[in-house]
Amino acid sequence: QVQLVESGGGLVQPGGSLRLSCVASGNIFSINVMGWYRRAPGKQRELVATITNGGRINYIDSMKGRFTISRDNDKKTVYLQMNGLEPEDTAVYYCNADITLSISLDRRNYWGQGTQVTVSS
């Protein structure tokens, strides 16, 4: 069984920074894509950023210049460095991964439980 565990959320003032982490564990052969999504109160979930095994990155335009996604393949971890946070960034942030399982080599999609980010003065 594969698990994704997020950490790093919290309460910050506008202009502050946070770094989110997501660690994958379990019967993993390879992680093809990892990324971050978020859901603000009263809104639908939206993509924040993704990164492929080869390092190709996709951001939504509003995050460019403020957020940076990266991954450590050896640690099976994806990070989201968030700078210049604004109240509009308040949301639950979810880790997502497309994973090829060991032994069976089946490809599956997994979600973490989410971590709360609150930006308020």
Side-chain angles (χ1 to χ4, degrees), residues 36 38 46-50 57-69 80 83-84 86 89:
W36 293 93
R38 69 182 184 184
E46 67 173 346
L47 184 146
V48 177
T50 61
I57 295 171
N58 180 38
Y59 295 100
I60 59 174
D61 191 63
S62 63
M63 303 302 155
K64 292 180 179 178
R66 298 193 299 125
F67 290 10
T68 302
I69 189 170
L80 185 67
N83 300 321
E86 303 168 356
D89 296 315

Short mmCIF file of all heavy atoms in Angstrom, two decimals, residues 36 38 46-50 57-69 80 83-84 86 89:
data_model
loop_
_atom_site.label_atom_id
_atom_site.label_comp_id
_atom_site.label_asym_id
_atom_site.label_seq_id
_atom_site.Cartn_x
_atom_site.Cartn_y
_atom_site.Cartn_z
N TRP A 36 1.14 19.26 -6.42
CA TRP A 36 0.33 19.88 -5.38
C TRP A 36 -0.94 20.46 -5.96
O TRP A 36 -0.92 21.11 -7.02
CB TRP A 36 1.11 20.99 -4.67
CG TRP A 36 2.28 20.49 -3.88
CD1 TRP A 36 3.57 20.38 -4.29
CD2 TRP A 36 2.25 20.01 -2.53
NE1 TRP A 36 4.36 19.86 -3.29
CE2 TRP A 36 3.57 19.63 -2.20
CE3 TRP A 36 1.24 19.88 -1.57
CZ2 TRP A 36 3.90 19.12 -0.94
CZ3 TRP A 36 1.57 19.37 -0.34
CH2 TRP A 36 2.89 19.00 -0.03
N ARG A 38 -4.77 22.42 -4.42
CA ARG A 38 -5.31 23.09 -3.25
C ARG A 38 -6.80 23.32 -3.41
O ARG A 38 -7.32 23.41 -4.51
CB ARG A 38 -4.59 24.42 -2.98
CG ARG A 38 -4.88 25.51 -4.01
CD ARG A 38 -4.08 26.76 -3.69
NE ARG A 38 -4.40 27.85 -4.59
CZ ARG A 38 -3.80 29.03 -4.58
NH1 ARG A 38 -2.84 29.28 -3.70
NH2 ARG A 38 -4.16 29.98 -5.45
N GLU A 46 -7.98 23.00 -7.20
CA GLU A 46 -7.25 23.46 -8.37
C GLU A 46 -5.81 23.00 -8.32
O GLU A 46 -5.23 22.81 -7.25
CB GLU A 46 -7.30 24.98 -8.50
CG GLU A 46 -6.56 25.73 -7.41
CD GLU A 46 -6.48 27.23 -7.66
OE1 GLU A 46 -6.76 27.67 -8.79
OE2 GLU A 46 -6.13 27.96 -6.71
N LEU A 47 -5.23 22.83 -9.48
CA LEU A 47 -3.83 22.47 -9.58
C LEU A 47 -2.95 23.65 -9.21
O LEU A 47 -3.22 24.79 -9.62
CB LEU A 47 -3.51 21.99 -11.00
CG LEU A 47 -2.09 21.49 -11.27
CD1 LEU A 47 -2.12 20.37 -12.30
CD2 LEU A 47 -1.20 22.62 -11.77
N VAL A 48 -1.90 23.38 -8.44
CA VAL A 48 -0.91 24.39 -8.11
C VAL A 48 0.34 24.20 -8.95
O VAL A 48 0.79 25.11 -9.65
CB VAL A 48 -0.56 24.37 -6.61
CG1 VAL A 48 0.54 25.38 -6.30
CG2 VAL A 48 -1.79 24.63 -5.76
N ALA A 49 0.92 23.01 -8.88
CA ALA A 49 2.13 22.71 -9.64
C ALA A 49 2.35 21.21 -9.68
O ALA A 49 1.98 20.49 -8.76
CB ALA A 49 3.35 23.40 -9.02
N THR A 50 2.98 20.74 -10.75
CA THR A 50 3.38 19.35 -10.87
C THR A 50 4.80 19.27 -11.37
O THR A 50 5.31 20.20 -12.01
CB THR A 50 2.47 18.55 -11.82
OG1 THR A 50 2.53 19.12 -13.13
CG2 THR A 50 1.03 18.54 -11.31
N ILE A 57 8.28 20.83 -15.17
CA ILE A 57 7.45 21.50 -14.19
C ILE A 57 6.31 22.25 -14.86
O ILE A 57 6.50 22.87 -15.91
CB ILE A 57 8.29 22.48 -13.35
CG1 ILE A 57 9.33 21.72 -12.53
CG2 ILE A 57 7.41 23.33 -12.44
CD1 ILE A 57 10.34 22.61 -11.85
N ASN A 58 5.15 22.20 -14.23
CA ASN A 58 4.00 22.95 -14.66
C ASN A 58 3.44 23.73 -13.47
O ASN A 58 3.11 23.12 -12.45
CB ASN A 58 2.92 22.04 -15.24
CG ASN A 58 1.70 22.79 -15.71
OD1 ASN A 58 1.82 23.88 -16.26
ND2 ASN A 58 0.53 22.22 -15.50
N TYR A 59 3.35 25.05 -13.60
CA TYR A 59 2.76 25.91 -12.59
C TYR A 59 1.52 26.57 -13.15
O TYR A 59 1.44 26.84 -14.36
CB TYR A 59 3.70 27.04 -12.17
CG TYR A 59 4.97 26.66 -11.48
CD1 TYR A 59 6.17 26.60 -12.17
CD2 TYR A 59 4.99 26.42 -10.11
CE1 TYR A 59 7.35 26.28 -11.53
CE2 TYR A 59 6.17 26.10 -9.46
CZ TYR A 59 7.35 26.04 -10.17
OH TYR A 59 8.53 25.74 -9.53
N ILE A 60 0.57 26.89 -12.27
CA ILE A 60 -0.45 27.82 -12.69
C ILE A 60 0.17 29.21 -12.68
O ILE A 60 1.08 29.48 -11.90
CB ILE A 60 -1.71 27.76 -11.80
CG1 ILE A 60 -1.37 28.05 -10.33
CG2 ILE A 60 -2.38 26.39 -11.93
CD1 ILE A 60 -2.60 28.15 -9.45
N ASP A 61 -0.34 30.09 -13.53
CA ASP A 61 0.33 31.36 -13.78
C ASP A 61 0.46 32.21 -12.52
O ASP A 61 1.45 32.91 -12.33
CB ASP A 61 -0.41 32.13 -14.86
CG ASP A 61 0.37 33.32 -15.36
OD1 ASP A 61 1.47 33.12 -15.92
OD2 ASP A 61 -0.10 34.46 -15.19
N SER A 62 -0.54 32.17 -11.64
CA SER A 62 -0.51 33.01 -10.45
C SER A 62 0.59 32.63 -9.47
O SER A 62 0.92 33.42 -8.59
CB SER A 62 -1.87 32.98 -9.75
OG SER A 62 -2.18 31.67 -9.31
N MET A 63 1.15 31.45 -9.60
CA MET A 63 2.20 30.98 -8.69
C MET A 63 3.61 31.33 -9.16
O MET A 63 4.54 31.28 -8.36
CB MET A 63 2.11 29.47 -8.51
CG MET A 63 0.77 28.99 -8.00
SD MET A 63 0.36 29.76 -6.42
CE MET A 63 -1.42 29.64 -6.47
N LYS A 64 3.75 31.64 -10.42
CA LYS A 64 5.08 31.91 -10.97
C LYS A 64 5.70 33.11 -10.27
O LYS A 64 5.09 34.14 -10.10
CB LYS A 64 5.00 32.14 -12.47
CG LYS A 64 4.63 30.90 -13.26
CD LYS A 64 4.57 31.17 -14.75
CE LYS A 64 4.22 29.91 -15.52
NZ LYS A 64 4.10 30.16 -16.97
N GLY A 65 6.96 32.93 -9.85
CA GLY A 65 7.67 33.98 -9.15
C GLY A 65 7.50 33.95 -7.65
O GLY A 65 8.25 34.62 -6.93
N ARG A 66 6.54 33.19 -7.15
CA ARG A 66 6.32 33.07 -5.71
C ARG A 66 6.50 31.65 -5.20
O ARG A 66 7.05 31.45 -4.12
CB ARG A 66 4.93 33.56 -5.33
CG ARG A 66 4.65 35.02 -5.64
CD ARG A 66 3.38 35.50 -4.95
NE ARG A 66 2.20 34.75 -5.39
CZ ARG A 66 1.38 34.11 -4.57
NH1 ARG A 66 1.59 34.11 -3.26
NH2 ARG A 66 0.32 33.46 -5.05
N PHE A 67 6.01 30.67 -5.96
CA PHE A 67 6.06 29.27 -5.53
C PHE A 67 7.08 28.51 -6.38
O PHE A 67 7.21 28.76 -7.58
CB PHE A 67 4.70 28.60 -5.69
CG PHE A 67 3.64 29.07 -4.73
CD1 PHE A 67 3.82 30.18 -3.92
CD2 PHE A 67 2.44 28.39 -4.65
CE1 PHE A 67 2.83 30.61 -3.05
CE2 PHE A 67 1.44 28.80 -3.79
CZ PHE A 67 1.64 29.91 -2.98
N THR A 68 7.75 27.57 -5.75
CA THR A 68 8.71 26.72 -6.44
C THR A 68 8.49 25.27 -6.04
O THR A 68 8.49 24.94 -4.85
CB THR A 68 10.16 27.12 -6.11
OG1 THR A 68 10.37 28.48 -6.46
CG2 THR A 68 11.13 26.24 -6.90
N ILE A 69 8.29 24.40 -7.03
CA ILE A 69 8.16 22.98 -6.77
C ILE A 69 9.48 22.29 -7.08
O ILE A 69 10.18 22.65 -8.03
CB ILE A 69 7.01 22.36 -7.58
CG1 ILE A 69 6.74 20.93 -7.12
CG2 ILE A 69 7.27 22.42 -9.08
CD1 ILE A 69 5.46 20.33 -7.69
N LEU A 80 7.09 22.10 -1.91
CA LEU A 80 6.53 23.33 -2.46
C LEU A 80 6.98 24.49 -1.58
O LEU A 80 6.51 24.63 -0.45
CB LEU A 80 5.00 23.27 -2.52
CG LEU A 80 4.33 24.47 -3.20
CD1 LEU A 80 4.66 24.48 -4.70
CD2 LEU A 80 2.82 24.44 -2.99
N ASN A 83 6.61 31.58 -1.14
CA ASN A 83 7.05 32.88 -0.68
C ASN A 83 6.02 33.93 -1.04
O ASN A 83 5.22 33.75 -1.95
CB ASN A 83 8.40 33.25 -1.30
CG ASN A 83 9.49 32.26 -0.97
OD1 ASN A 83 9.57 31.76 0.15
ND2 ASN A 83 10.35 31.99 -1.94
N GLY A 84 6.07 35.04 -0.33
CA GLY A 84 5.14 36.12 -0.61
C GLY A 84 3.69 35.70 -0.51
O GLY A 84 2.87 36.07 -1.36
N GLU A 86 -0.18 35.29 0.28
CA GLU A 86 -1.28 36.23 0.33
C GLU A 86 -2.50 35.54 0.94
O GLU A 86 -2.59 34.32 0.92
CB GLU A 86 -1.62 36.73 -1.08
CG GLU A 86 -0.45 37.38 -1.79
CD GLU A 86 -0.71 37.61 -3.27
OE1 GLU A 86 -1.78 37.19 -3.76
OE2 GLU A 86 0.15 38.22 -3.93
N ASP A 89 -4.14 32.73 -0.82
CA ASP A 89 -3.49 31.42 -0.85
C ASP A 89 -4.01 30.48 0.23
O ASP A 89 -3.63 29.31 0.25
CB ASP A 89 -1.98 31.57 -0.70
CG ASP A 89 -1.34 32.33 -1.85
OD1 ASP A 89 -1.69 32.05 -3.02
OD2 ASP A 89 -0.48 33.19 -1.58
#
